[in-house]
Amino acid sequence: LHEQTDQSLSVQHAKLEGERKGIQERLVQLNESLRGAQDIPGINLTIKVTERMTEQVRQFRQQLRDALSNSLKDDDPVEAERRFAALNAVVQRMGSQETVDRNWRNLVLDVRQHVEFVAREFDEAGTEVEVYTSGAGKSGGQRQKLTATCLAAALKYQLGGQEQPWPVFSTVVMDEAFDKADADFTKMTMNIFKNFGFQ
């Protein structure tokens, strides 16, 4: 209770917090890449991340906080037993191979499921013209434009960052599924990639 469990929970808590911060840091760099494309007509996007906590995730995070907040206290035997029982329940569930527990574990440990991305599109005057919280409710063309823009910006960031005007590797290869796409979408996508410095 006082050594291994506290150490393991501290490591787990630090990893989860680190992953959440990592998402924020990568998003800052992606937005920098998107800002570099604002001179491309029709592309002026900013992406923000918001928390999307389910009740299970909230409870798990609270259990971690409660366990760690009491870790330095000298528990009386009754309190130590209570803490042990609570922590043991979490540890047993973490190690369980039951389907419901595996699903729970995947949910509470995968921080990508704890966030939601919101893209905001602005016109040349800086007025917000569109908000994308998901692909739902948008036309096929809007979803495709958003997807292509985010993909191109992410690749530019991964392959060049902000230090270089062009990606270090600039060839993009599309597979045969691209043949079946709408001609206007294909042209738009190719132009988006070209404007981000890809061939």
Side-chain angles (χ1 to χ4, degrees):
L1 181 63
H2 289 286
E3 292 178 13
Q4 288 181 319
T5 302
D6 281 345
Q7 289 171 3
S8 297
L9 285 175
S10 294
V11 168
Q12 184 65 61
H13 187 262
K15 282 182 78 170
L16 291 173
E17 289 301 313
E19 287 295 321
R20 273 193 284 277
K21 286 179 184 170
I23 289 172
Q24 293 279 5
E25 289 165 4
R26 289 189 297 274
L27 195 58
V28 167
Q29 293 168 326
L30 179 60
N31 278 320
E32 284 295 319
S33 186
L34 284 167
R35 265 193 291 285
Q38 287 182 356
D39 56 340
I40 303 170
I43 297 178
N44 190 349
L45 287 172
T46 300
I47 302 174
K48 292 190 176 180
V49 64
T50 58
E51 286 201 356
R52 185 188 64 187
M53 293 288 167
T54 65
E55 190 55 37
Q56 290 175 311
V57 172
R58 272 192 208 87
Q59 287 175 356
F60 175 70
R61 287 177 72 181
Q62 188 61 48
Q63 287 171 321
L64 280 181
R65 281 194 297 272
D66 290 346
L68 292 172
S69 67
N70 292 320
S71 63
L72 299 177
K73 294 180 180 175
D74 290 328
D75 295 332
D76 63 51
V78 174
E79 179 61 18
E81 285 292 332
R82 186 200 64 74
R83 281 188 61 222
F84 177 78
L87 291 175
N88 187 47
V90 174
V91 171
Q92 292 299 322
R93 192 165 189 195
M94 282 284 193
S96 170
Q97 293 306 310
E98 295 292 325
T99 302
V100 66
D101 292 329
R102 282 200 320 255
N103 291 340
W104 171 82
R105 182 173 60 238
N106 291 337
L107 173 66
V108 299
L109 295 181
D110 186 354
V111 296
R112 296 171 301 178
Q113 296 186 57
H114 305 174
V115 295
E116 181 175 57
F117 298 97
V118 178
R120 299 185 184 282
E121 184 177 357
F122 301 89
D123 63 15
E124 292 77 19
T127 304
E128 184 176 280
V129 293
E130 197 68 62
V131 176
Y132 303 89
T133 53
S134 70
K138 304 296 179 192
S139 71
Q142 286 175 307
R143 288 194 306 267
Q144 291 167 339
K145 178 181 169 185
L146 176 67
T147 301
T149 302
C150 291
L151 178 60
L155 285 172
K156 163 94 170 44
Y157 149 64
Q158 288 289 335
L159 298 172
Q162 296 306 305
E163 298 78 34
Q164 304 181 81
W166 306 109
V168 293
F169 182 84
S170 59
T171 303
V172 176
V173 180
M174 305 292 182
D175 70 6
E176 69 277 359
F178 214 68
D179 292 348
K180 299 170 181 64
D182 176 81
D184 290 336
F185 165 68
T186 302
K187 182 178 178 183
M188 176 191 65
T189 302
M190 297 302 282
N191 285 333
I192 287 171
F193 274 93
K194 183 178 176 184
N195 285 316
F196 272 96
F198 293 100
Q199 299 172 348

PDB file of all heavy atoms in Angstrom, residues 1-13:
ATOM      1  N   LEU A   1       0.834  -1.215   0.000  1.00  0.00           N
ATOM      2  CA  LEU A   1       0.000   0.000   0.000  1.00  0.00           C
ATOM      3  C   LEU A   1       0.861   1.254   0.000  1.00  0.00           C
ATOM      4  O   LEU A   1       0.586   2.196  -0.718  1.00  0.00           O
ATOM      5  CB  LEU A   1      -0.915  -0.008   1.219  1.00  0.00           C
ATOM      6  CG  LEU A   1      -1.871   1.186   1.343  1.00  0.00           C
ATOM      7  CD1 LEU A   1      -2.838   1.217   0.188  1.00  0.00           C
ATOM      8  CD2 LEU A   1      -2.629   1.082   2.660  1.00  0.00           C
ATOM      9  N   HIS A   2       1.921   1.274   0.800  1.00  0.00           N
ATOM     10  CA  HIS A   2       2.710   2.496   0.947  1.00  0.00           C
ATOM     11  C   HIS A   2       3.857   2.597  -0.041  1.00  0.00           C
ATOM     12  O   HIS A   2       4.439   3.662  -0.179  1.00  0.00           O
ATOM     13  CB  HIS A   2       3.263   2.599   2.375  1.00  0.00           C
ATOM     14  CG  HIS A   2       2.191   2.907   3.372  1.00  0.00           C
ATOM     15  ND1 HIS A   2       1.614   4.150   3.485  1.00  0.00           N
ATOM     16  CD2 HIS A   2       1.573   2.123   4.274  1.00  0.00           C
ATOM     17  CE1 HIS A   2       0.691   4.117   4.435  1.00  0.00           C
ATOM     18  NE2 HIS A   2       0.640   2.900   4.924  1.00  0.00           N
ATOM     19  N   GLU A   3       4.226   1.505  -0.702  1.00  0.00           N
ATOM     20  CA  GLU A   3       5.358   1.574  -1.615  1.00  0.00           C
ATOM     21  C   GLU A   3       4.945   1.246  -3.037  1.00  0.00           C
ATOM     22  O   GLU A   3       4.761   2.133  -3.861  1.00  0.00           O
ATOM     23  CB  GLU A   3       6.470   0.639  -1.129  1.00  0.00           C
ATOM     24  CG  GLU A   3       7.100   1.129   0.179  1.00  0.00           C
ATOM     25  CD  GLU A   3       8.172   0.176   0.687  1.00  0.00           C
ATOM     26  OE1 GLU A   3       8.579  -0.715  -0.093  1.00  0.00           O
ATOM     27  OE2 GLU A   3       8.580   0.313   1.836  1.00  0.00           O
ATOM     28  N   GLN A   4       4.756  -0.038  -3.322  1.00  0.00           N
ATOM     29  CA  GLN A   4       4.507  -0.421  -4.709  1.00  0.00           C
ATOM     30  C   GLN A   4       3.230   0.178  -5.280  1.00  0.00           C
ATOM     31  O   GLN A   4       3.223   0.687  -6.396  1.00  0.00           O
ATOM     32  CB  GLN A   4       4.450  -1.952  -4.829  1.00  0.00           C
ATOM     33  CG  GLN A   4       5.819  -2.588  -4.681  1.00  0.00           C
ATOM     34  CD  GLN A   4       5.733  -4.087  -4.826  1.00  0.00           C
ATOM     35  OE1 GLN A   4       4.812  -4.714  -4.308  1.00  0.00           O
ATOM     36  NE2 GLN A   4       6.692  -4.663  -5.513  1.00  0.00           N
ATOM     37  N   THR A   5       2.152   0.137  -4.527  1.00  0.00           N
ATOM     38  CA  THR A   5       0.890   0.648  -5.060  1.00  0.00           C
ATOM     39  C   THR A   5       0.978   2.137  -5.321  1.00  0.00           C
ATOM     40  O   THR A   5       0.595   2.619  -6.398  1.00  0.00           O
ATOM     41  CB  THR A   5      -0.261   0.360  -4.077  1.00  0.00           C
ATOM     42  OG1 THR A   5      -0.318  -1.041  -3.849  1.00  0.00           O
ATOM     43  CG2 THR A   5      -1.590   0.814  -4.657  1.00  0.00           C
ATOM     44  N   ASP A   6       1.496   2.898  -4.367  1.00  0.00           N
ATOM     45  CA  ASP A   6       1.613   4.335  -4.559  1.00  0.00           C
ATOM     46  C   ASP A   6       2.534   4.665  -5.725  1.00  0.00           C
ATOM     47  O   ASP A   6       2.248   5.552  -6.523  1.00  0.00           O
ATOM     48  CB  ASP A   6       2.135   5.004  -3.283  1.00  0.00           C
ATOM     49  CG  ASP A   6       1.030   5.170  -2.247  1.00  0.00           C
ATOM     50  OD1 ASP A   6      -0.146   5.045  -2.624  1.00  0.00           O
ATOM     51  OD2 ASP A   6       1.350   5.427  -1.079  1.00  0.00           O
ATOM     52  N   GLN A   7       3.659   3.947  -5.822  1.00  0.00           N
ATOM     53  CA  GLN A   7       4.582   4.209  -6.926  1.00  0.00           C
ATOM     54  C   GLN A   7       3.922   3.903  -8.268  1.00  0.00           C
ATOM     55  O   GLN A   7       4.028   4.675  -9.216  1.00  0.00           O
ATOM     56  CB  GLN A   7       5.848   3.374  -6.758  1.00  0.00           C
ATOM     57  CG  GLN A   7       6.733   3.840  -5.616  1.00  0.00           C
ATOM     58  CD  GLN A   7       7.866   2.870  -5.331  1.00  0.00           C
ATOM     59  OE1 GLN A   7       8.033   1.871  -6.018  1.00  0.00           O
ATOM     60  NE2 GLN A   7       8.637   3.176  -4.303  1.00  0.00           N
ATOM     61  N   SER A   8       3.231   2.772  -8.347  1.00  0.00           N
ATOM     62  CA  SER A   8       2.576   2.392  -9.598  1.00  0.00           C
ATOM     63  C   SER A   8       1.493   3.394  -9.979  1.00  0.00           C
ATOM     64  O   SER A   8       1.381   3.776 -11.146  1.00  0.00           O
ATOM     65  CB  SER A   8       1.961   0.994  -9.477  1.00  0.00           C
ATOM     66  OG  SER A   8       2.971   0.042  -9.247  1.00  0.00           O
ATOM     67  N   LEU A   9       0.710   3.810  -9.003  1.00  0.00           N
ATOM     68  CA  LEU A   9      -0.337   4.790  -9.293  1.00  0.00           C
ATOM     69  C   LEU A   9       0.252   6.134  -9.694  1.00  0.00           C
ATOM     70  O   LEU A   9      -0.273   6.803 -10.582  1.00  0.00           O
ATOM     71  CB  LEU A   9      -1.251   4.958  -8.081  1.00  0.00           C
ATOM     72  CG  LEU A   9      -2.238   3.831  -7.831  1.00  0.00           C
ATOM     73  CD1 LEU A   9      -2.996   4.074  -6.534  1.00  0.00           C
ATOM     74  CD2 LEU A   9      -3.209   3.680  -8.982  1.00  0.00           C
ATOM     75  N   SER A  10       1.354   6.527  -9.062  1.00  0.00           N
ATOM     76  CA  SER A  10       2.000   7.790  -9.426  1.00  0.00           C
ATOM     77  C   SER A  10       2.505   7.738 -10.859  1.00  0.00           C
ATOM     78  O   SER A  10       2.344   8.695 -11.623  1.00  0.00           O
ATOM     79  CB  SER A  10       3.169   8.086  -8.485  1.00  0.00           C
ATOM     80  OG  SER A  10       2.697   8.308  -7.185  1.00  0.00           O
ATOM     81  N   VAL A  11       3.107   6.625 -11.241  1.00  0.00           N
ATOM     82  CA  VAL A  11       3.600   6.469 -12.613  1.00  0.00           C
ATOM     83  C   VAL A  11       2.429   6.502 -13.592  1.00  0.00           C
ATOM     84  O   VAL A  11       2.481   7.169 -14.629  1.00  0.00           O
ATOM     85  CB  VAL A  11       4.403   5.160 -12.759  1.00  0.00           C
ATOM     86  CG1 VAL A  11       4.659   4.829 -14.217  1.00  0.00           C
ATOM     87  CG2 VAL A  11       5.717   5.269 -11.994  1.00  0.00           C
ATOM     88  N   GLN A  12       1.350   5.783 -13.252  1.00  0.00           N
ATOM     89  CA  GLN A  12       0.181   5.752 -14.135  1.00  0.00           C
ATOM     90  C   GLN A  12      -0.428   7.133 -14.288  1.00  0.00           C
ATOM     91  O   GLN A  12      -0.749   7.568 -15.392  1.00  0.00           O
ATOM     92  CB  GLN A  12      -0.864   4.785 -13.571  1.00  0.00           C
ATOM     93  CG  GLN A  12      -2.074   4.597 -14.457  1.00  0.00           C
ATOM     94  CD  GLN A  12      -1.702   3.929 -15.758  1.00  0.00           C
ATOM     95  OE1 GLN A  12      -1.227   2.822 -15.763  1.00  0.00           O
ATOM     96  NE2 GLN A  12      -1.912   4.612 -16.860  1.00  0.00           N
ATOM     97  N   HIS A  13      -0.568   7.846 -13.184  1.00  0.00           N
ATOM     98  CA  HIS A  13      -1.134   9.192 -13.215  1.00  0.00           C
ATOM     99  C   HIS A  13      -0.255  10.120 -14.058  1.00  0.00           C
ATOM    100  O   HIS A  13      -0.750  10.896 -14.878  1.00  0.00           O
ATOM    101  CB  HIS A  13      -1.269   9.720 -11.787  1.00  0.00           C
ATOM    102  CG  HIS A  13      -1.981  11.026 -11.691  1.00  0.00           C
ATOM    103  ND1 HIS A  13      -1.317  12.224 -11.600  1.00  0.00           N
ATOM    104  CD2 HIS A  13      -3.304  11.329 -11.696  1.00  0.00           C
ATOM    105  CE1 HIS A  13      -2.194  13.209 -11.544  1.00  0.00           C
ATOM    106  NE2 HIS A  13      -3.401  12.696 -11.599  1.00  0.00           N
TER     107      HIS A  13
END
